[in-house]
Amino acid sequence: MTKHLELLPVALLLAACLTTSEVDESRNYSRLGEHERAFQLLDEVREQRIRSGAGVDEAFEREHAAARARFLLERARQRIFLEREDDALADLASVLAIDPEHAEAQVLRQRAYRKKAMHATEDGDEHLFKNELEQALVCYLEAGRYVPGYGPAADGEQKVRVAVSRLTAHAQQQFLEAVRKLPEFRFHEVRWHSDNAVVNDKSRQDAAALKQRANREIARKTFERGQACQAKDQFGAALVEYRTAKKLDESLAGVDEAIAQMQRELEAGGLVDRATMLMRLSRFAEARENLTRAHEMSLMTRGTITELLIESRRREGERDFTACHDLEILGRKREALAAFEALVQKWPDGIADEKARIEGLRADIDGAAREWEAGEAAEGKNDLPGAIEHFRASFQYYADFRNAKERIAQLQARIAGSSGS
C-alpha cells in the first residue's frame, strides 16, 4: 500500500509531463503552419483526460482554445480563397463568439463579406446587361447588406435607377407604380418606386411619405422575423433583425426593449459558456456565480440555466464523493470515515451510498480494534499463536490500524526462539 502511495505523485508528474510535451509538439506544428494538426493533437488529449476523469487545467484549456482559434482562422482563410464564404463565416463566428475583439477574425470576416458583395454585384451586372432590372436591383441590394456603402453595388443601383428613369420618363410614373404595389403589400417595391420618384423629383412630398410608410411596414415585418428568431433562441440573429427594424422605423413600439433584452440574453449566454468551462475545471462555486448572474439577466433560457445549476451541484457532490472514496481505496479508513461523515453533513440528501460506506468503515475500524485488544490479551496469557491470529485478523480489517506486521513478526520470532531452546 505504501509503495502505491509513493508512486501516485510520480504518476501525476508523468501525466503533467506528457501534457507539457504534447503542448510543445502542438506549438511546433503551429510554427510550421500545420494548425489543424496542432489543434487535433490537443483536442484528442483533452478528450482523453476528460473521459479518464483526470480533468483539464485552465492553462491547458487556454492553450486548447488558442489552437482551435488558429485552426479555425486558417480554415476560414482557405475557404474564402475557395469562395466558400458562408463556411468561412461560420468558422469566424466561432472565433468571435469567444473573442469578439479578435482583430484577425474581424478582418477575415470583412474580406468574406466583401467577396460575397462582389459576387452579388457581378450577378447584378449580369442581370442589368440582360435588362432584368428587378433581379439586378435585388442583387445590388444584397451586396449592400453584406458591405454597407459598397461602391460597385451603389453604382449598380444608380444604373438601375437611370435605366428605370429612362423607361418611366418621370417621377409621376414611379409614384404611380409605388401606389399600385401598396394594396398588394409589396412594400420593398413600394419603397423602391417611391424612392425613385423622390430621386427624380425632390419636391415630391407624397412620394417621401409613401416611402416612410413602406419603411414602417418593412420594419414591422423585420421585427416579426426577429421575434421568430428569438423564439428559436437565436438571440444574435434576433438582435440583428431588431436593430435593422429600428433603423427603418425609430418609433417602432417595443424595439428598444427587444434590443436591450437580446443584448442581455447574449451576455447571459457568455456567462453560461464561462460557467460550463469552470464546471469542467471543477471550479463549481465560480460556475454557480456565473450561472446565477445569467439567470438574473435571461428571460428566455432560465430553464436551461436552472438545469445547469442543478448539474453543477451534482458534479460537485460527485467530486466530493470521489475524494472520500479515493481515501477508502487507499486504505486510509479513519480519514475516509471522517471525510464521508463530513460529506453527509454537507450533502444531507445524499450523493451515492456514503451512509452504507460509513457503516462499513466503522465496522472495519471497530473490528480491527477488537481483534487488536484480543491479540494483546492472548499475548498477555502467553498464547502467542492465538495472539498472531488476532493481529492478522486486525490487519485484515484495517491494514493501517497499527503496526500489525511488525507485531506478528516479533511474535513469530519469539515462537522460533522458544522452539530452538
Side-chain angles (χ1 to χ4, degrees):
M1 185 63 65
T2 304
K3 182 178 180 182
H4 291 309
L5 288 173
E6 292 173 351
L7 289 175
L8 184 60
V10 177
L12 293 173
L13 180 61
L14 180 59
C17 290
L18 287 173
T19 303
T20 302
S21 173
E22 286 151 342
V23 167
D24 291 339
E25 185 178 357
S26 172
R27 290 175 178 173
N28 287 333
Y29 283 139
S30 292
R31 280 192 286 271
L32 295 171
E34 297 182 18
H35 301 299
E36 183 174 0
R37 292 186 66 183
F39 168 66
Q40 287 178 344
L41 174 63
L42 295 186
D43 198 50
E44 289 171 2
V45 171
R46 182 176 176 274
E47 289 298 321
Q48 290 170 1
R49 292 184 66 81
I50 290 173
R51 283 197 300 271
S52 67
V56 181
D57 60 37
E58 192 166 7
F60 185 87
E61 196 73 30
R62 286 195 301 270
E63 194 76 26
H64 176 270
R68 179 173 180 267
R70 287 192 293 270
F71 160 61
L72 290 174
L73 287 170
E74 180 61 23
R75 190 168 70 177
R77 191 177 292 106
Q78 293 172 358
R79 286 175 165 177
I80 292 171
F81 177 78
L82 296 172
E83 299 188 349
R84 294 169 55 189
E85 292 86 10
D86 289 334
D87 293 335
L89 287 168
D91 286 342
L92 296 170
S94 298
V95 175
L96 291 169
I98 299 170
D99 182 5
E101 304 300 323
H102 198 290
E104 186 177 359
Q106 291 177 344
V107 169
L108 288 173
R109 183 173 64 177
Q110 291 174 358
R111 187 183 302 171
Y113 277 127
R114 181 163 286 275
K115 286 197 74 173
K116 286 175 74 69
M118 181 184 70
H119 294 322
T121 302
E122 289 171 351
D123 292 340
D125 291 343
E126 185 174 351
H127 286 300
L128 184 61
F129 177 78
K130 297 176 181 178
N131 206 33
E132 298 169 349
L133 300 181
E134 184 175 350
Q135 296 93 321
L137 177 62
V138 168
C139 293
Y140 293 138
L141 291 174
E142 182 181 7
R145 285 198 297 272
Y146 294 140
V147 180
Y150 185 59
D155 292 343
E157 287 185 49
Q158 183 58 33
K159 289 176 183 177
V160 173
R161 286 193 179 95
V162 170
V164 169
S165 67
R166 287 172 182 167
L167 292 173
T168 60
H170 50 74
Q172 180 63 17
Q173 287 177 301
Q174 286 293 309
F175 178 71
L176 291 174
E177 285 294 321
V179 172
R180 290 189 189 104
K181 299 296 188 297
L182 196 60
E184 302 172 19
F185 305 104
R186 294 160 66 177
F187 295 108
H188 283 282
E189 295 175 60
V190 171
R191 182 174 63 172
W192 162 250
H193 287 296
S194 58
D195 191 39
N196 270 332
V198 173
V199 168
N200 282 277
D201 184 353
K202 297 186 184 301
S203 66
R204 293 296 300 261
Q205 295 299 315
D206 52 355
L210 196 59
K211 177 183 176 181
Q212 186 178 16
R213 179 180 173 184
N215 277 341
R216 283 198 297 268
E217 292 296 333
I218 295 169
R220 184 177 61 81
K221 291 291 185 183
T222 304
F223 188 82
E224 289 174 357
R225 285 200 304 273
Q227 289 177 317
C229 291
Q230 179 178 330
K232 297 175 184 176
D233 291 345
Q234 297 171 353
F235 304 127
L239 180 59
V240 170
E241 297 289 0
Y242 291 147
R243 284 174 171 168
T244 302
K246 184 175 181 179
K247 286 179 182 178
L248 291 167
D249 182 6
E250 295 252 347
S251 64
L252 184 63
V255 69
D256 290 328
E257 294 82 357
I259 289 172
Q261 184 57 46
M262 289 307 96
Q263 289 172 331
R264 287 194 293 271
E265 294 293 347
L266 288 172
E267 187 176 352
L271 290 170
V272 169
D273 290 341
R274 170 69 177 168
T276 302
M277 185 196 74
L278 290 168
M279 285 168 63
R280 288 199 298 268
L281 298 173
S282 298
R283 292 162 58 179
F284 299 108
E286 294 176 67
R288 283 195 293 275
E289 180 181 344
N290 280 268
L291 289 171
T292 300
R293 287 169 55 201
H295 192 274
E296 293 170 354
M297 289 181 185
S298 175
L299 294 177
M300 309 298 296
T301 60
R302 282 186 171 177
T304 300
I305 296 170
T306 299
E307 290 175 2
L308 283 172
L309 281 165
I310 295 170
E311 175 70 8
S312 173
R313 288 287 293 172
R314 183 185 66 78
R315 287 194 189 182
E316 184 178 7
E318 289 177 350
R319 180 202 63 184
D320 292 349
F321 179 88
T322 299
C324 299
H325 190 215
D326 287 345
L327 292 172
E328 183 181 4
I329 291 172
L330 294 171
R332 296 157 61 179
K333 295 190 176 183
R334 281 200 183 95
E335 295 173 62
L337 176 60
F340 275 123
E341 288 174 339
L343 182 72
V344 169
Q345 293 296 319
K346 183 177 179 181
W347 305 92
D349 294 333
I351 300 299
D353 60 343
E354 59 272 13
K355 292 183 180 178
R357 291 185 179 277
I358 287 172
E359 292 178 5
L361 289 167
R362 282 176 178 164
D364 286 349
I365 294 170
D366 292 344
R370 285 196 307 272
E371 291 295 336
W372 189 272
E373 291 174 2
E376 288 185 329
E379 185 180 358
K381 297 175 182 178
N382 207 30
D383 179 7
L384 301 187
I388 288 173
E389 290 304 315
H390 286 299
F391 288 136
R392 281 176 177 163
S394 177
F395 183 82
Q396 290 298 321
Y397 275 117
Y398 183 6
D400 291 341
F401 179 73
R402 290 184 182 174
N403 55 339
K405 285 187 176 181
E406 295 178 13
R407 196 67 169 269
I408 291 168
Q410 291 170 1
L411 293 175
Q412 287 174 334
R414 287 174 58 186
I415 293 171
S418 299
S419 301
S421 59

